[in-house]
Amino acid sequence: MSTESNVVCYDTEDGVAVLTLNRPERRNMWTAQMETEFYAALDRACADPDVRVIVVTGSGTSFVPGLDPLVLREVGDGKRYATNRRPQTYATTLPKPIIGAINGACAGIGLAQALNFDLRFAVRGAKFSTAFAKRGLPAEDGTAWVLARLVGPARAFDLLASARVFLAEEAFEIGLVQQLSEPGEVLADAVAYARSMATEVSPVALAMIKKQVWSDSENTLEQARVRAQYLLTLAKQQPDFQEGLRSLTEKRAPRFDPYSPLEL
């Protein structure tokens, strides 16, 4: 199934939703409209029981090279960017895994978005930059927090303070990117990974593990242990656990039901 809004395309197949940021004439530069439609598409994917994993990519040969300069100029002149914005960290709060298929330039607000995905695949040679320091801005939207945990404080400081351009190969080497793809293959690689997750893994387990990964680093080890015990008790009450046991004893692939929202 495929539908298209003005600047975000939405496609689903085999349990995977693909969201394509679609402003090729502007290299998918970010705008308030794109932000609104992107979050609406995320909500749609999370509400769709047939969707278990979300993949985000850009049209053409660019992911998101930053905020559109036309918007940046208006903001610089004092115009308000948007009202009632959701936080750029919104993706981290959703129960379904989100994989970035970074098909080209990824900078500024584009990088901030990508850092809030759960995994990042990137095409070889893709250019990355934090960009903020060159615009007289701090690291926005929790970027420093995520970067420091992904690549370490010193590397995070280097990338943020220098605002230098670095390639996907370096991003992979330091842990910012989890898989490199050949040109033209990054979306297919990300979708293949997402499809295997959608067909083989419990949606309840995915939601719980995502919550743990994003939340436990803010807690002590003991707090994380106690929370894991609570989640374990909750998981054993769900149909996914029984299906996981049945599939193991019957030596077959599991057939998990769609995700039903849980208070995690």
Side-chain angles (χ1 to χ4, degrees):
M1 179 181 65
S2 174
T3 59
E4 184 174 331
S5 64
N6 289 331
V7 294
V8 177
C9 300
Y10 184 100
D11 299 89
T12 61
E13 186 176 356
D14 298 332
V16 179
V18 177
L19 312 186
T20 305
L21 307 172
N22 187 39
R23 297 185 72 221
E25 75 286 355
R26 297 291 294 170
R27 299 177 60 227
N28 306 323
M29 292 178 181
W30 198 260
T31 64
Q33 180 187 2
M34 178 179 281
E35 184 172 303
T36 298
E37 293 189 17
F38 175 58
Y39 289 147
L42 287 179
D43 286 343
R44 177 180 174 183
C46 283
D48 186 341
D50 292 329
V51 170
R52 304 196 178 195
V53 184
I54 302 165
V55 174
V56 182
T57 194
S59 61
T61 58
S62 179
F63 182 68
V64 177
L67 191 66
D68 194 309
L70 299 177
V71 177
L72 194 61
R73 189 176 306 122
E74 292 177 347
V75 173
D77 291 339
K79 184 177 179 179
R80 190 177 182 87
Y81 171 69
T83 58
N84 298 320
R85 291 182 71 191
R86 300 192 204 188
Q88 299 297 296
T89 54
Y90 183 63
T92 69
T93 69
L94 301 177
K96 297 181 181 181
I98 303 174
I99 302 171
I102 300 170
N103 58 309
C106 180
I109 196 168
L111 180 60
Q113 283 290 347
L115 289 174
N116 289 310
F117 301 157
D118 303 296
L119 292 170
R120 285 155 295 279
F121 289 33
V123 63
R124 291 183 182 275
K127 294 181 179 180
F128 291 76
S129 176
T130 60
F132 305 120
K134 289 184 178 179
R135 305 292 176 261
L137 298 172
E140 296 184 359
D141 302 307
T143 301
W145 188 96
V146 179
L147 262 181
R149 283 156 178 78
L150 284 173
V151 305
R155 283 197 176 109
F157 182 82
D158 164 44
L159 298 178
L160 290 165
S162 70
R164 64 182 176 83
V165 173
F166 58 103
L167 299 182
E169 288 79 356
E170 181 181 354
F172 175 75
E173 181 182 340
I174 63 178
L176 193 155
V177 162
Q178 284 66 59
Q179 180 169 316
L180 293 175
S181 297
E182 298 303 320
E185 297 180 6
V186 66
L187 178 57
D189 288 346
V191 168
Y193 183 96
R195 187 177 291 119
S196 68
M197 186 181 289
T199 57
E200 298 173 10
V201 181
S202 155
V204 168
L206 285 175
M208 289 182 172
I209 289 168
K210 176 169 179 172
K211 183 70 172 181
Q212 288 175 293
V213 168
W214 283 107
S215 299
D216 281 357
S217 60
E218 300 178 19
N219 299 323
T220 65
L221 174 59
E222 179 61 13
Q223 288 172 323
R225 184 194 69 79
V226 170
R227 181 169 183 78
Q229 288 299 111
Y230 161 74
L231 292 175
L232 182 64
T233 301
L234 182 62
K236 289 180 177 179
Q237 300 169 5
Q238 308 307 312
D240 280 14
F241 176 64
Q242 296 302 323
E243 171 58 15
L245 291 180
R246 282 194 299 269
S247 65
L248 178 63
T249 57
E250 296 171 8
K251 298 181 179 180
R252 59 170 175 79
R255 296 185 292 269
F256 294 113
D257 291 334
Y259 177 71
S260 296
L262 293 171
E263 185 60 48
L264 303 177

